[in-house]
Amino acid sequence: MKIILLGAPGSGKGTQASLITEKYNLPHISTGEIFRENIKNQTPLGVKVKEVMDSGNLCPDDLTIEIVKDRLSKEDCKGGYMLDGFPRNLTQAKALDEFLAPDIVINIDVDIKKIEHRIVGRRSCSKCKGSFHTDFIGNTEICPDCGAKLVIRKDDNAQTVRERINVYQNQTSPLIDYYTAQNKLCSVNGNQEIDDVFSEIVKVLG
């Protein structure tokens, strides 16, 4: 089973992708994670990607396609994949169709105002890497799990969020029509609780 998750930044793609890969035993391929790993290790790619991400823009197509194509060629993807964060535009979608086309595309549909609230309120632990939201922990700077300092990702601010959403709407939204034309797109209501969204996705995957 080859699955793509679509959805604006903050729509919950990463969370749902993790649940899907656990249930269906598929490798979770997140371009965001690949990029962040390179940024953390300060590789030449990481330096380039960091500049782009900090400005709220997307990485160049040729670079992103090359990275994804290499990852999908690995042995663990022979039985399928769970792609999160790729493709982001029609150029990437057409490239993916040429080397390993998806079977189904799930679009997580979330209200834009809710997305902004979700992202701006995100906090992560500098030590245990736990993920939290101010709705549940308030404005504390201390991790409720291990007591270490909570941090805010540099691009998790209102201005950058709006820029990322605008980029998504301009470049990624056309994928909805692209995959609808291929009869591969299914949309789920992403405004619900995590478990309810996942239940919808499981029904779609059948």
Side-chain angles (χ1 to χ4, degrees):
M1 186 157 49
K2 300 185 289 294
I3 307 169
I4 287 175
L5 273 189
L6 289 182
S11 61
K13 293 192 302 296
T15 299
Q16 295 301 326
S18 296
L19 294 172
I20 292 169
T21 53
E22 183 178 352
K23 180 175 178 63
Y24 297 98
N25 194 29
L26 293 169
H28 176 193
I29 300 167
S30 164
T31 51
E33 287 299 322
I34 295 172
F35 291 153
R36 279 190 284 275
E37 187 66 24
N38 278 275
I39 290 172
K40 178 182 176 182
N41 295 327
Q42 297 183 334
T43 65
L45 168 63
V47 173
K48 291 180 182 177
V49 171
K50 187 176 188 303
E51 291 177 356
V52 175
M53 289 181 67
D54 285 349
S55 66
N57 293 316
L58 301 178
C59 288
D61 288 335
D62 54 351
L63 177 63
T64 307
I65 290 168
E66 182 182 347
I67 288 172
V68 173
K69 188 173 183 179
D70 176 71
R71 181 63 184 87
L72 292 180
S73 69
K74 305 299 183 186
E75 188 65 30
D76 63 340
C77 294
K78 297 295 185 186
Y81 57 73
M82 169 72 262
L83 260 176
D84 160 27
F86 182 95
R88 290 186 184 273
N89 56 43
L90 290 175
T91 298
Q92 294 179 6
K94 291 173 181 177
L96 179 62
D97 279 349
E98 290 179 5
F99 58 85
L100 204 60
D103 298 316
I104 188 166
V105 179
I106 299 171
N107 177 47
I108 302 178
D109 191 16
V110 183
D111 180 76
I112 297 300
K113 290 183 179 179
K114 185 180 286 288
I115 287 175
E116 185 174 327
H117 175 76
R118 281 182 183 178
I119 294 179
V120 173
R122 289 195 303 203
R123 303 290 183 270
S124 58
C125 179
S126 57
K127 184 178 180 181
C128 72
K129 307 304 179 185
S131 182
F132 310 94
H133 197 280
T134 53
D135 280 353
F136 304 102
I137 64 171
N139 291 318
T140 179
E141 296 182 356
I142 305 301
C143 175
D145 288 348
C146 73
K149 183 177 176 60
L150 292 176
V151 295
I152 305 173
R153 273 173 46 184
K154 189 174 181 179
D155 54 343
D156 281 359
N157 62 78
Q159 181 179 349
T160 303
V161 168
R162 293 188 192 108
E163 289 171 356
R164 291 167 64 195
I165 289 173
N166 285 336
V167 170
Y168 169 80
Q169 290 177 320
N170 291 331
Q171 298 189 27
T172 310
S173 292
L175 293 177
I176 293 174
D177 292 334
Y178 179 76
Y179 286 118
T180 297
Q182 293 186 10
N183 202 30
K184 291 183 177 181
L185 187 99
C186 291
S187 288
V188 297
N189 179 8
N191 294 309
Q192 308 173 89
E193 295 297 320
I194 292 172
D195 289 345
D196 295 327
V197 176
F198 184 57
S199 293
E200 272 199 44
I201 290 174
V202 171
K203 288 179 183 177
V204 166
L205 295 177

